[in-house]
Amino acid sequence: GIYAEGGVALEGSEFRDMSREEQLAVLPNLQVLARSKPTDKYILVRLLRSEGEVVAVTGDGTNDAPALKEADVGLSMGITGTDVAQMASDIVILDDNFASIVRSVMWGRNVYDSIRKFLQFQLTVNVAALCVAYIGAVANSRSPLTPVQLLWVNLIMDTLAALALATDPPTVALLDRKPYGRTEPLVNHRMWINILGQSLLQVIILLVMLFAGEDMYIDSSYNSQRSLDKNYTMIFNAFVFLQLFNEINSRKLGTDLNVFDDFFSNPLFVGVMVLTTILQVILVEFGGK
């Protein structure tokens, strides 16, 4: 049920008779406020918000409108709710089913995580591309990534990757996670570690290819210009496939290391990976000819 051991259950009259200090003291453990008036709900919402809490309120009557309006998220009933309550709320539950709230929370968390996944992926691509293009241009008077190649990378980053990372279906496991705080940054500390770590790895690999690639895997019989072109093509190819691998890494946020968990649950993600690989092979093998 709602009430659990260690919690506090009060009636509205008891809550109203308390001073503000007493109300604030009981808030952390308050689980049930029975026989409460609409004004009690309004006071409770204001107290919780004054303590920095994010508050959601459900209601269906006209008297619930002040609490619905004051809450961070107001949810009213679509069938039994009054017009006043619906106008004061942020979300209208069309089927009057409280289970719909659970589904909306699950989808909301999934959308938020999808945005963070894409940001984690996009920032990594930007940092790696900027470092390699700048260092290559300064060292060799020519960027290893041409404008057409960068355009293709942007297509991967802005379109296909967004489509892949934003279409992961929500899971019940999302409900086990604690909600993010009001002041939680969109890109948190753990995400910055992933972004900078992955960017550093990519930059190191690409710079080794840039400065030592011709000696490592280019035929010594080629002239200098052809060797440079071949090496730059290898760098471009490696860069794109590094982004593909990073796209898989970006499926998970935080400390979850199993990036292949439920990998095939999103056919669109798999399809984007396969399509990008095929297009990359065509671009490298036949592009520029």
Side-chain angles (χ1 to χ4, degrees), residues 5-179:
E5 186 177 354
V8 175
L10 296 174
E11 290 190 356
S13 57
E14 297 177 90
F15 185 73
R16 286 192 299 274
D17 292 338
M18 290 180 175
S19 65
R20 178 181 172 83
E21 290 72 22
E22 290 174 329
Q23 291 173 339
L24 289 173
V26 82
L27 272 185
N29 298 314
L30 182 61
Q31 296 179 350
V32 178
L33 188 61
R35 298 179 182 176
S36 58
K37 294 181 178 180
T39 53
D40 299 330
K41 294 171 70 173
Y42 177 74
I43 293 171
L44 180 60
V45 171
R46 293 199 64 179
L47 286 172
L48 286 168
R49 294 197 68 196
S50 70
E51 293 298 296
E53 300 290 345
V54 179
V55 186
V57 172
T58 61
D60 56 6
T62 301
N63 291 337
D64 294 323
L68 289 169
K69 191 71 175 177
E70 179 67 21
D72 293 286
V73 182
L75 302 104
S76 63
M77 301 302 169
I79 299 175
T80 59
T82 63
D83 291 340
V84 174
Q86 291 176 10
M87 290 292 292
S89 65
D90 302 292
I91 299 173
V92 177
I93 306 173
L94 298 178
D95 57 1
D96 284 15
N97 187 351
F98 276 92
S100 299
I101 300 176
V102 178
R103 288 196 296 272
S104 67
V105 169
M106 189 165 61
W107 274 100
R109 291 187 175 192
N110 187 65
V111 170
Y112 186 75
D113 280 357
S114 295
I115 294 171
R116 300 182 94 180
K117 290 174 186 177
F118 177 65
L119 282 176
Q120 181 172 275
F121 173 78
Q122 187 179 46
L123 289 173
T124 302
V125 177
N126 287 343
V127 171
L130 179 63
C131 291
V132 172
Y134 176 77
I135 295 173
V138 170
N140 295 337
S141 301
R142 172 186 166 189
S143 173
L145 299 173
T146 67
V148 174
Q149 290 170 346
L150 287 174
L151 185 63
W152 168 235
V153 171
N154 281 329
L155 178 62
I156 299 174
M157 180 179 67
D158 295 333
T159 307
L160 297 179
L163 188 63
L165 293 172
T167 53
D168 271 344
T171 62
V172 179
L174 288 169
L175 298 175
D176 297 329
R177 189 193 71 206
K178 290 184 178 180

